[in-house]
Amino acid sequence: PTALLALGIQQIHVGQEMIGKISAAGQLMQCSASLDVLFLLDGSYSIGRGSFERSKHFAGKLCDALDIHPDRVRVGMIQFSSTPHLEFPLDSYLTKQEVKERIKRTVFRGGSTEIGQALKYILHKGFPGGRNSSVREVLIIISDGKSQGSTAMPARQVKERHITVFAVGIKFPRWEELQVLASEPPERHLLFAGHAEDAANGLYSTLSDPVCTATAPGCKVQSHPCERRTLETVKELAGSYVCWKGSKQPNAVQASLCPFTRWKRVLIKHPSRCFRTVCPDPCDSQPCQNGGTCVPEGLDRYHCLCLLGYGGDIHCAAKLSLECDVNLLFLMDSSAGVTLEGFLRFKAFLKRFLQAMVGQDSPVSMGVAQYDDSVKVPIELGRHKDALSLMRSIDALNFSGGRTLTGRALQYIAQHGFRSSPVFLDVQDDLPRVVVLLTDSKSQDSVAEAAEYAKDQNIFLIGIGSSFMRAELTTVTGNPQQTIVYSDPQDLFNRMPELQRKICSVGNPEGCQAQSLDLAFAVDASSGVGLENFLRLRHFVRSSCLHFIINRDVTQIALVTYGSKAHTVFALDTHTSSSAVLQAIEQVPFLGDSASAGSALLHVHSDVMTVQKGARPGVNKVVVLLTNGGGTQGAAAPAQQLRHNGILVFVVVVGDADRDTLLRVAGSPSYLVHISSYEDLQYYQGLIIERICEEARSPVNLCKPNPCMNQGVCILGPGSYRCQCHGWEGPHCESRVLRGDSPRSPALLPRSHVQWSPRGLQHLSRTLQHSKR
């Protein structure tokens, strides 16, 4: 096929995640060098009025980064079409505001595109109102490059005069002609005005090295891969048809096959490199510790949203308070099975827990026992009145290395571990009694009867151990919710806040009855699960919903079932009461198809957890994926996409499955629960509800998921956010901007600033949904 280039569209793709840093750079950049900047604006009919306005917007955006002053940067403008027209010379306006106002008042003239004539005008008259040749001259041509005459010779002559030329494409620019106009190297001098923020930033980046040296501290010019796409109209061979041709023989014709062609538009990609100045974000240094979320406030300030159990200072140091009054006894395995290394690890954990959770001057009701064949209580409950002396006693503990008799140890502690003197002669100490078992070796005696005996003595048991100890620890505690397992030594220390919550939940079970939450269940209804097991999953979802207060202001629940495709059974805003949700769950049918968990999570991301479908800004969001492990190979990417939008993915898998694959979907062992059989689902419900409730209480990022519609950019403030809209308006960019003389509603502003009030946000979310319907 032969190709004919007829039309070029250049686009530079910029990731949305960079927009904040680009904007910050734009606010910090101020070129204060001696510089004459002349804009050459294409005002021809091939541009049109709309693109001419975009050209003006780009010119104004660039002026923000120029320190316009008679002794520093001067700006002038020429509009060209059939003939060049001087809009204003370089010495007309002396302040940035005056120049920007004058650019806004520039009127579109129309005519043919004569770029060569415009360049000859500059060669003949120079920079109107400019200074002497010692001042650097910069020419910024904003055009689509569709010149009627030749541009190569005048462009070369302009550059020979040491004028720096930037070619800025607008509308559907011709790539080849713009490259002829631009200075070398072309990748640093060719820009696309459609992305005004990034193009202005790229232009400044090129100037900042040789000319504008006063780049803000910490800002630096970065090269990054980008893509320029050209839409070409090509002529291609479509086929052949029978045609008739003349013949040398009289009164005869000859049949033949003749080709015919058709025109086709083809997208051609041009990989390239672009340049921009990027300024450091205040959160780049990751100042928030212990899993805290950094929220930038402007260019140089930030605040940390801390996880529960942290917040001792602005950087999320561990809080120096246990926040509850209990009699706390640690029962530490000192047998040969745990090894000396494991024993020392438990000692280090005790010391760090003490440092993090107990203040130096706080009263301590804590003891430590250790066991192997026998049990010793070297640190009796309440013996130490301050954390410092308690720390010294923990340091003095020695490894013994006998047999692992955990059952005997529990029995002994239940009988002798909580002996305490009366507070007064006739008043007994009635604080809750908690035993935390630290072990990493299987018991050589029975633990079940001893654990039951301890619980009969009103002792609350918590078990901590590595993953292979899960079953035995659950037997000891009687509830997976009271069991903490860790994957590696560092993970043990990360579990301190979780241990604190479990200790302080004695007599006050954790729950999230009053926590605002958007919760979606994605249930595997494929043939791999089968009808009988699907009914068990359905019952599990139904009974889980009983743990939540379901209404518009507290918890909203959505349900998705999936086989090869996902189906929304009901959306977040469909049901406003528990009875309605429970009734709807009872009607959910079995699908019986092949499973695709990836499709389900993608469906939740696009069609469930959105403002349009009832998701509320400023409310934590959780997706619980219930699966047998089948069809999860492609689920990691959509799960990561959900997490990137601030939505927790919690994976509950039943039966044998590839743990590595599921771990990539869950993102963390903390959010993966592996259950051996569907019959055991009920025993893990408390643990799963607890994890969901932890997420409901965690800090929320108001901009995740993005509450702004139609490509609006969400910008965080302290306890609030606003939507920056482009071509749309309203609090969430939900209304298209009216053009011309059409009236604009005074109630809708292009940039809205939304204060974080949960009820207000929920009301606004509902209003948006009704307006979309």
Side-chain angles (χ1 to χ4, degrees), residues 308 460 462 479-484 495 497-505 508-512 515 517 540 544 547-548 622 648 650 670-671 673 684-698:
L308 189 65
F460 186 82
I462 298 171
N479 185 351
Q481 196 170 338
Q482 292 160 226
T483 300
I484 298 174
R495 301 293 177 153
E498 186 179 352
L499 175 58
Q500 182 215 27
R501 291 194 295 274
K502 292 185 189 305
I503 292 169
C504 291
S505 69
N508 180 27
E510 292 186 277
C512 44
Q515 296 292 330
L517 180 68
F540 173 81
S544 296
H547 291 261
F548 301 94
V622 178
L648 173 72
F650 196 92
S670 300
Y671 303 126
V673 173
Y684 286 81
Q685 188 172 64
L687 170 68
I688 294 166
I689 296 298
E690 180 197 5
R691 294 278 174 83
I692 294 171
C693 293
E694 285 175 12
E695 182 64 17
R697 288 188 293 272
S698 68

Side-chain angles (χ1 to χ4, degrees), residues 646-667:
I647 302 166
L648 173 72
V649 179
F650 196 92
V651 180
V652 180
V653 60
V654 185
D656 294 329
D658 181 7
R659 180 173 173 81
D660 290 339
T661 301
L662 293 165
L663 201 52
R664 286 195 294 273
V665 178

Side-chain angles (χ1 to χ4, degrees), residues 283-426:
C283 291
D284 281 353
S285 61
Q286 299 180 334
C288 304
Q289 304 164 6
N290 300 309
T293 302
C294 182
V295 180
E297 296 177 6
L299 302 177
D300 57 356
R301 299 195 327 176
Y302 64 89
H303 68 273
C304 293
L305 299 174
C306 304
L307 296 174
L308 189 65
Y310 298 99
D313 64 12
I314 60 168
H315 297 117
C316 301
K319 285 184 178 177
L320 296 175
S321 173
L322 193 58
E323 296 185 335
C324 58
D325 290 325
V326 295
N327 285 322
L328 177 62
L329 184 65
F330 284 92
L331 179 58
M332 188 162 56
D333 188 345
S334 180
S335 67
V338 80
T339 72
L340 175 61
E341 182 186 3
F343 179 76
L344 294 176
R345 184 184 308 138
F346 286 148
K347 273 179 63 172
F349 175 78
L350 282 182
K351 289 170 65 177
R352 275 170 80 169
F353 181 81
L354 197 62
Q355 288 172 320
M357 300 300 173
V358 182
Q360 294 296 320
D361 301 320
S362 303
V364 180
S365 184
M366 175 176 161
V368 179
Q370 63 182 93
Y371 73 94
D372 50 5
D373 299 275
S374 58
V375 187
K376 295 185 291 187
V377 188
I379 305 174
E380 292 182 357
L381 195 71
R383 188 178 109 197
H384 295 280
K385 298 303 180 186
D386 63 87
L388 196 59
S389 62
L390 184 55
M391 197 87 68
R392 290 198 190 103
S393 295
I394 293 173
D395 270 330
L397 296 177
N398 293 314
F399 179 61
S400 49
R403 291 184 301 156
T404 311
L405 300 182
T406 307
R408 179 178 176 179
L410 288 169
Q411 183 89 18
Y412 180 90
I413 288 301
Q415 294 171 338
H416 309 289
F418 290 92
R419 290 178 176 172
S420 59
S421 303
V423 179
F424 298 106
L425 290 177
D426 56 346

